[in-house]
Amino acid sequence: MTYIKFVCDEIENIEEGTPIYTKDIAKKIADNYCIKEKDAALAAAVAFKRIMDGNTVPRLRFYKKGIYYKAAITPFGETKINKEQLIADKYILPDRGYETGLSLMYKIGLTTQIPNERTIATNAAKDCARADKRLGVIIKPPKVKITEKNKDYLQILDALELIDKAPVDERQPYTIIAGQIKKRNLQYEKLLAFANNYYGKKTILQLANTASAGGVHI
């Protein structure tokens, strides 16, 4: 089987709109043909170019260097690439980011005001917050490197830190957050430790108020 046929078969099995990363296809080529990753990357790049030039997969579209997608044809025109998946792949998965800011407050029910921007705390952000205009999000560095074990704790503490700064219109915000803590099976002792190490005194006080609302003493 040629590299082009192999890539076409891989593309065929991917749903419309799903980002197709040439690096992922290259890894599969390396594994399938037992060749070096550098050679596989070149083979993938050449295969995608020839597929596009020859219109071998008519619905294949170029998004940006290294990223393609399949479009679906509808009565309203072509579908676009799944930007939610792009955001997740670039900033959130696996366990290296989470949503924060006003969009988080809205999603967990602390405010009814729909935010005009979305903020992601991510390890991919280095020094300061900046806008990714292409994906329509703000990325910011976390208080501490995000891991599988601490991401939920940091997200809850971010929400507590924002209570005095955000347009919170929920009458019992601490009850809402206490419910999130219970739903996620988080431990107040760990929340307190993270708050003490990486957040300010106000956040520690907000955590105490949350614990009280949830019937917990810390």
Side-chain angles (χ1 to χ4, degrees):
M1 182 187 296
T2 65
Y3 293 143
I4 292 178
K5 180 65 168 61
F6 180 86
V7 173
C8 285
D9 288 348
E10 289 295 319
I11 292 171
E12 188 63 31
N13 293 324
I14 297 173
E15 293 184 3
E16 287 88 353
T18 301
I20 302 170
Y21 300 98
T22 56
K23 63 180 181 180
D24 292 341
I25 301 295
K27 187 177 186 308
K28 291 183 178 181
I29 290 175
D31 293 341
N32 191 74
Y33 292 90
C34 298
I35 63 176
K36 295 179 179 179
E37 290 187 6
K38 182 179 180 180
D39 294 334
L42 178 59
V46 171
F48 271 97
K49 184 179 187 307
R50 290 182 178 174
I51 290 169
M52 292 295 292
D53 289 346
N55 199 29
T56 310
V57 181
R59 291 177 295 153
L60 185 65
R61 300 290 181 267
F62 175 81
Y63 176 71
K64 62 180 293 188
K65 185 178 179 180
I67 306 176
Y68 296 78
Y69 69 98
K70 282 193 308 185
I73 311 301
T74 76
F76 306 101
E78 288 189 1
T79 57
K80 301 298 183 182
I81 196 167
N82 185 338
K83 284 197 173 183
E84 286 299 312
Q85 189 62 53
L86 284 172
I87 292 169
D89 291 341
K90 189 172 184 179
Y91 296 125
I92 297 175
L93 302 175
D95 301 316
R96 63 192 186 105
Y98 58 82
E99 191 154 357
T100 189
L102 296 181
S103 54
L104 168 65
M105 307 293 271
Y106 175 76
K107 283 190 173 181
I108 64 178
L110 292 174
T111 179
T112 56
Q113 294 188 34
I114 301 175
N116 58 12
E117 65 180 31
R118 184 177 176 191
T119 304
I120 307 292
T122 173
N123 295 336
K126 302 304 179 184
D127 300 321
C128 59
R130 67 173 179 85
D132 183 329
K133 294 182 180 179
R134 185 159 194 168
L135 292 179
V137 295
I138 304 294
I139 64 167
K140 58 175 287 187
K143 302 284 188 180
V144 64
K145 183 178 179 180
I146 298 167
T147 67
E148 177 185 4
K149 294 182 178 180
N150 70 16
K151 63 179 182 179
D152 281 341
Y153 288 92
L154 297 177
Q155 189 177 50
I156 289 295
L157 291 170
D158 279 7
L160 288 172
E161 185 179 49
L162 284 169
I163 279 186
D164 290 337
K165 305 173 185 177
V168 174
D169 47 26
E170 164 59 42
R171 293 183 178 180
Q172 297 180 320
Y174 299 116
T175 301
I176 294 290
I177 296 180
Q180 286 287 321
I181 292 171
K182 182 177 181 180
K183 180 180 178 180
R184 302 182 191 198
N185 295 315
L186 304 182
Q187 299 175 22
Y188 277 93
E189 292 80 3
K190 288 186 178 180
L191 282 164
L192 182 58
F194 281 122
N196 188 56
N197 288 334
Y198 306 111
Y199 293 78
K201 292 182 179 179
K202 284 188 176 181
T203 304
I204 295 174
L205 177 59
Q206 306 287 30
L207 179 60
N209 291 335
T210 303
S212 179
V216 176
H217 296 286
I218 60 174

